[in-house]
Amino acid sequence: MADYFFVPVGEQSLNLIFPNLIDVKQNQLIQHIARYLLRPDTDLPGIVDVIPAYHTLTVNFDPALLQADELQDYLDRLIQSKKLEASAPVKHVLLLPVCYDEEFGPDLTSVADYGHMAVPELIDLHSSLDYFVYMLGFLPGFAYMGTVPDRIAMPRLDEPRAAIAAGSVGIAGQQTGMYPLQSPGGWRLLGRTPVRLYDPKRPAPLYEAGDYIRFQAISRADYNKIRQLDQAGKFQLAQRNEADS
């Protein structure tokens, strides 16, 4: 049985809070609840929006149609029921090309030293896993993903960089992710993707919470080629679907 509690947030929102953990199964439950509440055939009126995070789900509702205690009772029954099992999606994995070049990854050597390995071994390790997207935030399309192996889970920089290029891929402890826009940041940079992760003309991200991303190491020549294709609107991420364990 799931361990959780509720905290009202004003008159139009309710927080569903699980243990403060970075845990795939727990976050998948949060994602399943969020998707279920937004289904067009849901039997609960008044849901305005849902905001899933690492271990919380904020549910915004219309107080003219739904009260907080009604929503809380509904969520209690939903979590205890078997309805969520039917809404669980397959494992959706997007394959994102990344060039682990020293120009793009100024922290490659320091992270490799932290893990007592050579840079090629670091690249192989970082690109060998399917990373679960726990949430999007900070910037449009910024995915907080995990879990980075302990061996290379180097903490953030003590002093953040003033500007990190769009597409940069980095780690911060057991998290990994990509910067969709140029911004300040303190993550350890390992490479860069040639794919535009955020376009204000098409603001919907290429991925969403609940997806998985696998980094694919590419050469500098492939980086330039894919970047040209992507800018011309002729590149599409490869993907695979499989039963989630």
Side-chain angles (χ1 to χ4, degrees):
M1 183 178 296
D3 181 16
Y4 60 89
F5 61 96
F6 298 96
V7 175
V9 184
E11 298 180 351
Q12 302 180 42
S13 298
L14 182 69
N15 269 352
L16 170 59
I17 302 176
F18 290 87
N20 189 6
L21 303 171
I22 299 179
D23 179 80
V24 171
K25 292 301 181 183
Q26 177 174 278
N27 191 265
Q28 285 177 326
L29 174 59
I30 292 171
Q31 301 298 337
H32 297 169
I33 296 170
R35 290 189 177 97
Y36 190 89
L37 292 177
L38 294 179
R39 283 171 45 167
D41 61 344
T42 183
D43 55 352
L44 183 69
I47 299 297
V48 175
D49 194 15
V50 294
I51 307 172
Y54 269 119
H55 68 102
T56 66
L57 176 66
T58 301
V59 183
N60 299 328
F61 58 91
D62 182 348
L65 300 174
L66 182 66
Q67 296 300 308
D69 57 346
E70 295 175 318
L71 175 57
Q72 181 170 324
D73 289 344
Y74 182 91
L75 290 172
D76 271 326
R77 295 194 304 271
L78 179 62
I79 292 170
Q80 304 308 321
S81 74
K82 295 185 179 298
K83 293 180 180 180
L84 294 173
E85 296 178 4
S87 69
V90 298
K91 182 178 179 179
H92 179 54
V93 185
L94 291 163
L95 309 180
L96 186 69
V98 174
C99 179
Y100 292 90
D101 186 270
E102 288 187 2
E103 178 186 349
F104 299 151
D107 299 312
L108 278 168
T109 299
S110 60
V111 176
D113 290 344
Y114 179 86
H116 304 288
M117 62 180 69
V119 169
E121 187 181 356
L122 165 63
I123 295 170
D124 288 344
L125 180 58
H126 185 255
S127 60
S128 68
L129 302 173
D130 295 338
Y131 293 105
F132 182 74
V133 180
Y134 286 94
M135 58 179 284
L136 302 181
F138 170 54
L139 295 169
F142 191 102
Y144 289 87
M145 308 186 303
T147 302
V148 172
D150 289 338
R151 189 177 177 190
I152 60 170
M154 194 172 183
R156 301 167 189 255
L157 295 170
D158 292 333
E159 296 185 10
R161 294 182 170 94
I164 292 177
S168 295
V169 175
I171 61 172
Q174 292 191 312
Q175 302 175 110
T176 189
M178 308 82 66
Y179 286 81
L181 299 169
Q182 178 175 304
S183 75
W187 290 35
R188 306 276 178 170
L189 304 183
L190 304 183
R192 190 180 302 170
T193 178
V195 178
R196 182 183 298 182
L197 301 174
Y198 175 73
D199 183 350
K201 297 178 181 178
R202 297 183 297 276
L206 302 173
Y207 37 81
E208 59 185 22
D211 287 340
Y212 288 81
I213 288 180
R214 168 74 72 104
F215 298 123
Q216 290 190 315
I218 60 172
S219 67
R220 186 63 178 266
D222 286 337
Y223 175 93
N224 294 332
K225 184 185 303 182
I226 293 173
R227 187 169 183 269
Q228 290 178 351
L229 290 172
D230 184 64
Q231 290 179 338
K234 298 179 179 179
F235 181 80
Q236 188 171 0
L237 292 180
Q239 55 188 280
R240 71 174 192 268
N241 293 320
E242 57 191 56
D244 208 346
S245 57

Short mmCIF file of all heavy atoms in Angstrom, two decimals, residues 64-118:
data_model
loop_
_atom_site.label_atom_id
_atom_site.label_comp_id
_atom_site.label_asym_id
_atom_site.label_seq_id
_atom_site.Cartn_x
_atom_site.Cartn_y
_atom_site.Cartn_z
N ALA A 64 -15.65 25.67 -7.96
CA ALA A 64 -17.08 25.74 -8.24
C ALA A 64 -17.63 24.36 -8.59
O ALA A 64 -18.85 24.13 -8.49
CB ALA A 64 -17.36 26.72 -9.38
N LEU A 65 -16.73 23.44 -8.99
CA LEU A 65 -17.15 22.11 -9.39
C LEU A 65 -16.66 21.01 -8.46
O LEU A 65 -17.21 19.90 -8.46
CB LEU A 65 -16.66 21.81 -10.82
CG LEU A 65 -17.14 22.74 -11.93
CD1 LEU A 65 -16.45 22.40 -13.24
CD2 LEU A 65 -18.65 22.65 -12.08
N LEU A 66 -15.63 21.32 -7.68
CA LEU A 66 -14.98 20.27 -6.89
C LEU A 66 -14.38 20.88 -5.63
O LEU A 66 -13.78 21.96 -5.68
CB LEU A 66 -13.88 19.60 -7.73
CG LEU A 66 -13.11 18.44 -7.13
CD1 LEU A 66 -14.03 17.24 -6.90
CD2 LEU A 66 -11.96 18.05 -8.07
N GLN A 67 -14.56 20.20 -4.50
CA GLN A 67 -13.97 20.64 -3.24
C GLN A 67 -12.75 19.78 -2.90
O GLN A 67 -12.63 18.64 -3.34
CB GLN A 67 -15.01 20.55 -2.12
CG GLN A 67 -16.20 21.48 -2.33
CD GLN A 67 -15.79 22.95 -2.41
OE1 GLN A 67 -15.08 23.45 -1.53
NE2 GLN A 67 -16.22 23.63 -3.46
N ALA A 68 -11.87 20.33 -2.09
CA ALA A 68 -10.62 19.65 -1.76
C ALA A 68 -10.88 18.30 -1.07
O ALA A 68 -10.19 17.31 -1.35
CB ALA A 68 -9.75 20.53 -0.88
N ASP A 69 -11.88 18.25 -0.17
CA ASP A 69 -12.14 16.98 0.52
C ASP A 69 -12.70 15.93 -0.43
O ASP A 69 -12.40 14.73 -0.30
CB ASP A 69 -13.07 17.19 1.71
CG ASP A 69 -14.40 17.83 1.32
OD1 ASP A 69 -14.52 18.36 0.21
OD2 ASP A 69 -15.33 17.80 2.15
N GLU A 70 -13.46 16.36 -1.43
CA GLU A 70 -13.97 15.42 -2.44
C GLU A 70 -12.81 14.88 -3.29
O GLU A 70 -12.76 13.68 -3.59
CB GLU A 70 -14.98 16.12 -3.34
CG GLU A 70 -16.25 16.56 -2.64
CD GLU A 70 -17.16 17.36 -3.54
OE1 GLU A 70 -16.65 18.21 -4.30
OE2 GLU A 70 -18.39 17.12 -3.50
N LEU A 71 -11.91 15.77 -3.66
CA LEU A 71 -10.75 15.35 -4.44
C LEU A 71 -9.88 14.39 -3.63
O LEU A 71 -9.40 13.38 -4.16
CB LEU A 71 -9.94 16.57 -4.86
CG LEU A 71 -8.62 16.31 -5.60
CD1 LEU A 71 -8.84 15.47 -6.86
CD2 LEU A 71 -7.93 17.63 -5.95
N GLN A 72 -9.67 14.69 -2.36
CA GLN A 72 -8.85 13.82 -1.51
C GLN A 72 -9.47 12.43 -1.40
O GLN A 72 -8.78 11.42 -1.52
CB GLN A 72 -8.70 14.45 -0.14
CG GLN A 72 -7.85 13.63 0.81
CD GLN A 72 -7.52 14.40 2.09
OE1 GLN A 72 -7.32 15.62 2.07
NE2 GLN A 72 -7.47 13.68 3.21
N ASP A 73 -10.79 12.37 -1.18
CA ASP A 73 -11.46 11.07 -1.10
C ASP A 73 -11.34 10.31 -2.41
O ASP A 73 -11.11 9.09 -2.41
CB ASP A 73 -12.94 11.27 -0.75
CG ASP A 73 -13.14 11.74 0.69
OD1 ASP A 73 -12.21 11.62 1.48
OD2 ASP A 73 -14.25 12.24 0.99
N TYR A 74 -11.47 11.03 -3.52
CA TYR A 74 -11.37 10.39 -4.84
C TYR A 74 -9.97 9.81 -5.05
O TYR A 74 -9.82 8.67 -5.52
CB TYR A 74 -11.69 11.41 -5.93
CG TYR A 74 -11.68 10.83 -7.33
CD1 TYR A 74 -12.84 10.30 -7.89
CD2 TYR A 74 -10.52 10.80 -8.08
CE1 TYR A 74 -12.84 9.77 -9.18
CE2 TYR A 74 -10.50 10.26 -9.36
CZ TYR A 74 -11.67 9.75 -9.90
OH TYR A 74 -11.65 9.22 -11.16
N LEU A 75 -8.94 10.59 -4.71
CA LEU A 75 -7.57 10.12 -4.89
C LEU A 75 -7.29 8.92 -3.99
O LEU A 75 -6.59 7.97 -4.40
CB LEU A 75 -6.59 11.25 -4.62
CG LEU A 75 -6.58 12.38 -5.66
CD1 LEU A 75 -5.71 13.54 -5.17
CD2 LEU A 75 -6.07 11.87 -7.00
N ASP A 76 -7.81 8.93 -2.77
CA ASP A 76 -7.64 7.77 -1.88
C ASP A 76 -8.21 6.51 -2.54
O ASP A 76 -7.56 5.46 -2.56
CB ASP A 76 -8.36 8.02 -0.55
CG ASP A 76 -7.49 8.71 0.49
OD1 ASP A 76 -6.27 8.44 0.49
OD2 ASP A 76 -8.02 9.49 1.28
N ARG A 77 -9.43 6.62 -3.04
CA ARG A 77 -10.06 5.46 -3.67
C ARG A 77 -9.32 5.03 -4.93
O ARG A 77 -9.15 3.84 -5.19
CB ARG A 77 -11.52 5.77 -4.00
CG ARG A 77 -12.40 6.02 -2.77
CD ARG A 77 -13.88 5.98 -3.14
NE ARG A 77 -14.21 6.93 -4.19
CZ ARG A 77 -14.57 8.20 -3.96
NH1 ARG A 77 -14.62 8.65 -2.71
NH2 ARG A 77 -14.87 9.00 -4.95
N LEU A 78 -8.85 6.02 -5.70
CA LEU A 78 -8.14 5.71 -6.94
C LEU A 78 -6.85 4.96 -6.67
O LEU A 78 -6.53 3.96 -7.33
CB LEU A 78 -7.85 7.01 -7.69
CG LEU A 78 -7.09 6.89 -9.02
CD1 LEU A 78 -7.89 6.07 -10.03
CD2 LEU A 78 -6.76 8.27 -9.58
N ILE A 79 -6.08 5.42 -5.68
CA ILE A 79 -4.80 4.79 -5.38
C ILE A 79 -4.99 3.37 -4.87
O ILE A 79 -4.19 2.47 -5.17
CB ILE A 79 -4.03 5.65 -4.35
CG1 ILE A 79 -3.61 6.98 -4.99
CG2 ILE A 79 -2.79 4.90 -3.83
CD1 ILE A 79 -3.05 7.99 -4.00
N GLN A 80 -6.06 3.13 -4.13
CA GLN A 80 -6.31 1.80 -3.59
C GLN A 80 -6.96 0.86 -4.61
O GLN A 80 -6.97 -0.35 -4.41
CB GLN A 80 -7.22 1.90 -2.36
CG GLN A 80 -6.69 2.81 -1.25
CD GLN A 80 -5.27 2.48 -0.83
OE1 GLN A 80 -4.89 1.32 -0.74
NE2 GLN A 80 -4.49 3.52 -0.56
N SER A 81 -7.48 1.41 -5.69
CA SER A 81 -8.17 0.59 -6.69
C SER A 81 -7.17 -0.01 -7.68
O SER A 81 -5.96 0.23 -7.60
CB SER A 81 -9.19 1.44 -7.45
OG SER A 81 -8.53 2.31 -8.36
N LYS A 82 -7.68 -0.76 -8.65
CA LYS A 82 -6.84 -1.34 -9.69
C LYS A 82 -6.96 -0.57 -11.01
O LYS A 82 -6.45 -0.99 -12.04
CB LYS A 82 -7.23 -2.81 -9.93
CG LYS A 82 -6.96 -3.71 -8.72
CD LYS A 82 -7.25 -5.16 -9.06
CE LYS A 82 -6.94 -6.06 -7.88
NZ LYS A 82 -5.52 -6.02 -7.48
N LYS A 83 -7.62 0.59 -10.97
CA LYS A 83 -7.81 1.36 -12.19
C LYS A 83 -6.49 1.84 -12.78
O LYS A 83 -6.34 1.93 -13.99
CB LYS A 83 -8.71 2.56 -11.92
CG LYS A 83 -10.14 2.21 -11.57
CD LYS A 83 -10.95 3.46 -11.31
CE LYS A 83 -12.40 3.13 -10.97
NZ LYS A 83 -13.21 4.35 -10.71
N LEU A 84 -5.53 2.17 -11.92
CA LEU A 84 -4.26 2.72 -12.40
C LEU A 84 -3.45 1.68 -13.16
O LEU A 84 -2.65 2.03 -14.02
CB LEU A 84 -3.45 3.27 -11.24
CG LEU A 84 -4.05 4.48 -10.53
CD1 LEU A 84 -3.24 4.83 -9.30
CD2 LEU A 84 -4.12 5.66 -11.48
N GLU A 85 -3.61 0.40 -12.83
CA GLU A 85 -2.86 -0.64 -13.50
C GLU A 85 -3.16 -0.64 -15.00
O GLU A 85 -2.28 -0.85 -15.83
CB GLU A 85 -3.17 -2.01 -12.90
CG GLU A 85 -2.74 -2.13 -11.44
CD GLU A 85 -3.12 -3.47 -10.84
OE1 GLU A 85 -3.65 -4.32 -11.60
OE2 GLU A 85 -2.90 -3.67 -9.64
N ALA A 86 -4.42 -0.40 -15.35
CA ALA A 86 -4.81 -0.40 -16.75
C ALA A 86 -4.29 0.82 -17.50
O ALA A 86 -4.17 0.80 -18.73
CB ALA A 86 -6.33 -0.46 -16.87
N SER A 87 -3.95 1.89 -16.74
CA SER A 87 -3.49 3.11 -17.40
C SER A 87 -1.97 3.17 -17.53
O SER A 87 -1.43 4.11 -18.09
CB SER A 87 -3.96 4.34 -16.61
OG SER A 87 -3.28 4.43 -15.36
N ALA A 88 -1.26 2.17 -17.00
CA ALA A 88 0.20 2.19 -17.05
C ALA A 88 0.70 2.05 -18.48
O ALA A 88 0.33 1.11 -19.18
CB ALA A 88 0.77 1.05 -16.19
N PRO A 89 1.52 3.00 -18.97
CA PRO A 89 1.99 2.94 -20.35
C PRO A 89 3.15 1.96 -20.51
O PRO A 89 3.75 1.52 -19.53
CB PRO A 89 2.47 4.37 -20.59
CG PRO A 89 2.94 4.83 -19.25
CD PRO A 89 2.01 4.17 -18.24
N VAL A 90 3.46 1.65 -21.77
CA VAL A 90 4.65 0.85 -22.05
C VAL A 90 5.88 1.74 -21.83
O VAL A 90 5.77 2.96 -21.74
CB VAL A 90 4.62 0.32 -23.49
CG1 VAL A 90 3.44 -0.60 -23.70
CG2 VAL A 90 4.59 1.47 -24.50
N LYS A 91 7.02 1.13 -21.77
CA LYS A 91 8.27 1.87 -21.63
C LYS A 91 8.61 2.51 -22.97
O LYS A 91 8.84 1.82 -23.95
CB LYS A 91 9.39 0.93 -21.16
CG LYS A 91 10.74 1.63 -20.95
CD LYS A 91 11.77 0.64 -20.44
CE LYS A 91 13.12 1.30 -20.24
NZ LYS A 91 14.14 0.34 -19.73
N HIS A 92 8.61 3.83 -22.99
CA HIS A 92 8.84 4.60 -24.21
C HIS A 92 10.24 5.21 -24.12
O HIS A 92 10.48 6.08 -23.28
CB HIS A 92 7.77 5.67 -24.35
CG HIS A 92 7.90 6.54 -25.56
ND1 HIS A 92 7.99 6.03 -26.83
CD2 HIS A 92 7.98 7.89 -25.68
CE1 HIS A 92 8.09 7.02 -27.69
NE2 HIS A 92 8.10 8.16 -27.02
N VAL A 93 11.16 4.77 -24.98
CA VAL A 93 12.55 5.20 -24.92
C VAL A 93 12.90 6.01 -26.16
O VAL A 93 12.75 5.53 -27.29
CB VAL A 93 13.51 4.00 -24.81
CG1 VAL A 93 14.94 4.49 -24.62
CG2 VAL A 93 13.10 3.08 -23.67
N LEU A 94 13.38 7.24 -25.94
CA LEU A 94 13.85 8.09 -27.03
C LEU A 94 15.38 8.03 -27.07
O LEU A 94 16.04 8.09 -26.03
CB LEU A 94 13.40 9.53 -26.81
CG LEU A 94 11.90 9.78 -26.95
CD1 LEU A 94 11.52 11.11 -26.32
CD2 LEU A 94 11.50 9.77 -28.41
N LEU A 95 15.92 7.91 -28.26
CA LEU A 95 17.36 7.79 -28.45
C LEU A 95 17.91 9.14 -28.87
O LEU A 95 17.66 9.62 -29.98
CB LEU A 95 17.67 6.73 -29.50
CG LEU A 95 16.98 5.36 -29.27
CD1 LEU A 95 17.35 4.38 -30.38
CD2 LEU A 95 17.35 4.79 -27.91
N LEU A 96 18.67 9.78 -27.97
CA LEU A 96 19.15 11.14 -28.20
C LEU A 96 20.64 11.14 -28.52
O LEU A 96 21.46 10.74 -27.68
CB LEU A 96 18.89 11.99 -26.95
CG LEU A 96 19.20 13.48 -27.08
CD1 LEU A 96 18.21 14.16 -28.02
CD2 LEU A 96 19.18 14.17 -25.72
N PRO A 97 21.03 11.60 -29.72
CA PRO A 97 22.46 11.63 -30.06
C PRO A 97 23.19 12.70 -29.25
O PRO A 97 22.69 13.81 -29.06
CB PRO A 97 22.44 11.98 -31.56
CG PRO A 97 21.14 12.69 -31.79
CD PRO A 97 20.17 12.08 -30.81
N VAL A 98 24.39 12.34 -28.79
CA VAL A 98 25.22 13.26 -28.00
C VAL A 98 26.66 13.14 -28.45
O VAL A 98 27.18 12.03 -28.59
CB VAL A 98 25.13 12.95 -26.49
CG1 VAL A 98 26.10 13.83 -25.70
CG2 VAL A 98 23.72 13.14 -25.98
N CYS A 99 27.29 14.27 -28.68
CA CYS A 99 28.72 14.28 -29.00
C CYS A 99 29.49 14.57 -27.71
O CYS A 99 29.39 15.65 -27.13
CB CYS A 99 29.02 15.36 -30.05
SG CYS A 99 30.77 15.47 -30.49
N TYR A 100 30.25 13.56 -27.27
CA TYR A 100 31.05 13.69 -26.05
C TYR A 100 32.44 14.22 -26.43
O TYR A 100 33.46 13.55 -26.26
CB TYR A 100 31.17 12.34 -25.36
CG TYR A 100 29.88 11.80 -24.78
CD1 TYR A 100 29.03 10.99 -25.54
CD2 TYR A 100 29.51 12.08 -23.47
CE1 TYR A 100 27.85 10.47 -25.00
CE2 TYR A 100 28.33 11.58 -22.93
CZ TYR A 100 27.51 10.78 -23.70
OH TYR A 100 26.35 10.27 -23.18
N ASP A 101 32.45 15.43 -26.97
CA ASP A 101 33.68 16.08 -27.39
C ASP A 101 34.17 16.97 -26.25
O ASP A 101 33.36 17.52 -25.49
CB ASP A 101 33.41 16.91 -28.65
CG ASP A 101 34.66 17.52 -29.25
OD1 ASP A 101 35.01 18.66 -28.87
OD2 ASP A 101 35.27 16.87 -30.11
N GLU A 102 35.48 17.13 -26.12
CA GLU A 102 36.01 17.93 -25.02
C GLU A 102 35.53 19.37 -25.08
O GLU A 102 35.34 20.01 -24.03
CB GLU A 102 37.54 17.88 -25.02
CG GLU A 102 38.10 16.52 -24.59
CD GLU A 102 39.61 16.55 -24.45
OE1 GLU A 102 40.20 17.63 -24.65
OE2 GLU A 102 40.20 15.50 -24.13
N GLU A 103 35.31 19.89 -26.28
CA GLU A 103 34.79 21.25 -26.39
C GLU A 103 33.39 21.35 -25.80
O GLU A 103 33.02 22.35 -25.18
CB GLU A 103 34.76 21.69 -27.86
CG GLU A 103 34.18 23.09 -28.06
CD GLU A 103 34.02 23.45 -29.52
OE1 GLU A 103 34.54 22.73 -30.38
OE2 GLU A 103 33.35 24.47 -29.80
N PHE A 104 32.59 20.30 -26.01
CA PHE A 104 31.22 20.28 -25.51
C PHE A 104 31.13 19.77 -24.07
O PHE A 104 30.15 20.05 -23.38
CB PHE A 104 30.35 19.39 -26.40
CG PHE A 104 30.26 19.83 -27.83
CD1 PHE A 104 30.05 18.91 -28.84
CD2 PHE A 104 30.37 21.17 -28.18
CE1 PHE A 104 29.93 19.30 -30.17
CE2 PHE A 104 30.26 21.58 -29.50
CZ PHE A 104 30.04 20.65 -30.50
N GLY A 105 32.13 19.00 -23.66
CA GLY A 105 32.13 18.39 -22.33
C GLY A 105 33.34 18.79 -21.51
O GLY A 105 34.25 17.97 -21.31
N PRO A 106 33.38 20.03 -21.02
CA PRO A 106 34.56 20.49 -20.28
C PRO A 106 34.80 19.75 -18.97
O PRO A 106 35.88 19.88 -18.39
CB PRO A 106 34.26 21.97 -20.03
CG PRO A 106 32.77 22.08 -20.12
CD PRO A 106 32.35 21.08 -21.14
N ASP A 107 33.80 18.99 -18.50
CA ASP A 107 33.97 18.27 -17.24
C ASP A 107 34.23 16.78 -17.44
O ASP A 107 34.21 16.01 -16.46
CB ASP A 107 32.73 18.46 -16.36
CG ASP A 107 32.50 19.92 -16.00
OD1 ASP A 107 33.47 20.58 -15.57
OD2 ASP A 107 31.36 20.40 -16.16
N LEU A 108 34.44 16.36 -18.67
CA LEU A 108 34.68 14.94 -18.93
C LEU A 108 35.83 14.39 -18.10
O LEU A 108 35.71 13.34 -17.46
CB LEU A 108 34.96 14.72 -20.42
CG LEU A 108 33.77 14.61 -21.36
CD1 LEU A 108 34.25 14.68 -22.82
CD2 LEU A 108 33.02 13.30 -21.12
N THR A 109 36.95 15.09 -18.11
CA THR A 109 38.14 14.59 -17.42
C THR A 109 37.94 14.55 -15.91
O THR A 109 38.29 13.56 -15.24
CB THR A 109 39.37 15.46 -17.75
OG1 THR A 109 39.61 15.42 -19.16
CG2 THR A 109 40.60 14.95 -17.02
N SER A 110 37.34 15.59 -15.34
CA SER A 110 37.15 15.63 -13.89
C SER A 110 36.17 14.55 -13.43
O SER A 110 36.37 13.92 -12.38
CB SER A 110 36.68 17.01 -13.43
OG SER A 110 35.44 17.36 -14.04
N VAL A 111 35.11 14.30 -14.21
CA VAL A 111 34.17 13.25 -13.84
C VAL A 111 34.82 11.87 -14.00
O VAL A 111 34.61 10.97 -13.17
CB VAL A 111 32.87 13.35 -14.67
CG1 VAL A 111 31.94 12.18 -14.35
CG2 VAL A 111 32.16 14.66 -14.39
N ALA A 112 35.61 11.69 -15.06
CA ALA A 112 36.32 10.42 -15.25
C ALA A 112 37.29 10.18 -14.08
O ALA A 112 37.38 9.06 -13.55
CB ALA A 112 37.06 10.43 -16.58
N ASP A 113 38.01 11.23 -13.67
CA ASP A 113 38.92 11.09 -12.53
C ASP A 113 38.14 10.75 -11.26
O ASP A 113 38.59 9.94 -10.44
CB ASP A 113 39.70 12.40 -12.32
CG ASP A 113 40.72 12.65 -13.42
OD1 ASP A 113 41.04 11.70 -14.17
OD2 ASP A 113 41.19 13.81 -13.54
N TYR A 114 36.99 11.37 -11.07
CA TYR A 114 36.13 11.09 -9.91
C TYR A 114 35.74 9.61 -9.87
O TYR A 114 35.68 9.01 -8.79
CB TYR A 114 34.88 11.97 -10.00
CG TYR A 114 33.88 11.78 -8.88
CD1 TYR A 114 34.01 12.47 -7.68
CD2 TYR A 114 32.79 10.93 -9.04
CE1 TYR A 114 33.08 12.32 -6.66
CE2 TYR A 114 31.85 10.77 -8.02
CZ TYR A 114 32.00 11.46 -6.84
OH TYR A 114 31.07 11.30 -5.84
N GLY A 115 35.50 9.04 -11.06
CA GLY A 115 35.10 7.64 -11.14
C GLY A 115 36.26 6.67 -11.30
O GLY A 115 36.04 5.47 -11.48
N HIS A 116 37.50 7.20 -11.27
CA HIS A 116 38.71 6.37 -11.42
C HIS A 116 38.63 5.54 -12.71
O HIS A 116 38.80 4.32 -12.70
CB HIS A 116 38.90 5.45 -10.20
CG HIS A 116 38.96 6.18 -8.90
ND1 HIS A 116 40.03 6.95 -8.52
CD2 HIS A 116 38.05 6.27 -7.89
CE1 HIS A 116 39.81 7.48 -7.32
NE2 HIS A 116 38.60 7.09 -6.92
N MET A 117 38.38 6.25 -13.81
CA MET A 117 38.27 5.59 -15.11
C MET A 117 38.77 6.51 -16.20
O MET A 117 38.97 7.72 -15.97
CB MET A 117 36.82 5.19 -15.39
CG MET A 117 35.85 6.38 -15.48
SD MET A 117 34.14 5.90 -15.82
CE MET A 117 33.70 5.08 -14.28
N ALA A 118 38.98 5.96 -17.39
CA ALA A 118 39.36 6.76 -18.53
C ALA A 118 38.12 7.41 -19.14
O ALA A 118 37.00 6.94 -18.93
CB ALA A 118 40.06 5.90 -19.58
#
